[in-house]
Amino acid sequence: MRNKIVAGNWKMNLSFEQALQLANDLNEYVAHHPSTAQVVIAPTSIYLQAIQETVDNDYITVAAQDVAAAEKGAYTGDVSAEQLDSIGINCAIVGHSERRAYQHESDAIIAQKLEQLFAKEITPIFCIGEKLEEREADKHFEVVKSQVLNALQPQKVENLTKVVIAYEPVWAIGTGKTASPEQAQEIHAYIRSVLKDAFGEDLANGTSILYGGSVNAGNAEELFAQPDIDGGLVGGASLKVEDFSKIIAAIK
Ligand code: PGA
């Protein structure tokens, strides 16, 4: 059985006070509404430690939004896997399309980041997804295949079982446009077939693949009901406990 996961990516939102409040409210919700899903929240890095201390780690996993590609040293502004590990963080998002776009992160950089996370046994939520023009040109299958293979093929085989994949079509992120459940299922099944061809059936069947891109309280249930969708990576709708709790409850 694959893990079901609902992850909230808070991005560069919320004051410290608001973040603590949201973490508390969510902790309260999850404590009273046990879910089959693993609930993950990814606050901005300077809040990680305080949020980690606020929530009950049996209920909520606190994740970093990114990690440095290098191990340590003169990389101003970056946060290493070792530093995350040193404050007890065991999950991190990597390869988010916003970082690919604004920080020009290549598949090769993302592969290095994955290596850093594996070295510290931090679970990566590894994001992939095509841009609008790539989907319109019918290149989405090709794009996600190369994103998956370029980042995962350089890894040690024994580490691959730790990866969670998040498929997030760039045209659906923060736009209010969601992939239809059929579109999402089609590409999730395809991603699983890419994993199967490259790394074998066991890995393909065991890897959780989340959908992301304008997931909300209204569309989550139908998306999560698809056989190859194992949960969601949620941006905007993870910032309000009323919405995010409905998305968690949509996991059956
Ligand atoms: P969104 O963001 O839910 O606001 O579209 C998703 C993401 O970027 O992870």
Side-chain angles (χ1 to χ4, degrees), residues 42-169:
T44 192
S45 61
I46 57 166
Y47 302 165
L48 281 168
Q49 192 172 12
I51 302 275
Q52 175 86 326
E53 285 163 7
T54 297
V55 300
D56 184 331
N57 295 297
D58 289 340
Y59 300 139
I60 297 179
T61 302
V62 181
Q65 294 179 9
D66 190 46
V67 70
E71 191 182 341
K72 63 168 68 161
Y75 298 95
T76 302
D78 278 358
V79 177
S80 71
E82 188 172 346
Q83 290 171 324
L84 293 175
D85 181 53
S86 73
I87 57 162
I89 297 297
N90 57 20
C91 183
I93 297 169
V94 274
H96 192 280
S97 65
E98 286 151 16
R99 298 210 53 97
R100 290 179 190 258
Y102 307 140
Q103 270 71 32
H104 312 290
E105 287 186 7
S106 62
D107 290 340
I109 294 280
I110 293 159
Q112 289 172 21
K113 293 185 171 201
L114 286 168
E115 264 175 59
Q116 294 300 323
L117 293 176
F118 292 138
K120 291 292 160 195
E121 297 190 0
I122 298 173
T123 302
I125 299 179
F126 160 51
C127 303
I128 55 172
E130 81 286 356
K131 300 184 194 119
L132 181 60
E133 60 270 25
E134 292 165 337
R135 180 160 280 261
E136 285 175 346
D138 217 17
K139 293 213 158 99
H140 44 299
F141 293 113
E142 202 178 304
V143 169
V144 296
K145 180 177 182 179
S146 68
Q147 289 173 332
V148 167
L149 296 181
N150 291 343
L152 297 188
Q153 261 169 344
Q155 309 304 328
K156 291 187 189 138
V157 180
E158 66 267 27
N159 285 330
L160 295 176
T161 53
K162 297 167 195 152
V163 177
V164 173
I165 293 179
Y167 167 70
E168 301 199 299

Side-chain angles (χ1 to χ4, degrees), residues 6 23-41 54-62 244 248:
V6 177
N24 262 311
D25 292 349
L26 196 61
N27 197 62
E28 190 71 11
Y29 172 81
V30 182
H32 291 101
H33 301 82
S35 167
T36 51
Q38 181 188 0
V39 176
V40 179
I41 51 176
T54 297
V55 300
D56 184 331
N57 295 297
D58 289 340
Y59 300 139
I60 297 179
T61 302
V62 181
F244 196 54
I248 296 167

Side-chain angles (χ1 to χ4, degrees), residues 7-9 11 93 96-98 127 166 168-169 172-177 211-216 233-238:
N9 176 7
K11 306 191 182 182
I93 297 169
H96 192 280
S97 65
E98 286 151 16
C127 303
E168 301 199 299
I173 296 178
T175 58
K177 276 190 217 153
Y211 171 78
S214 297
V215 174
N216 60 42
L233 179 56
V234 185
S238 71

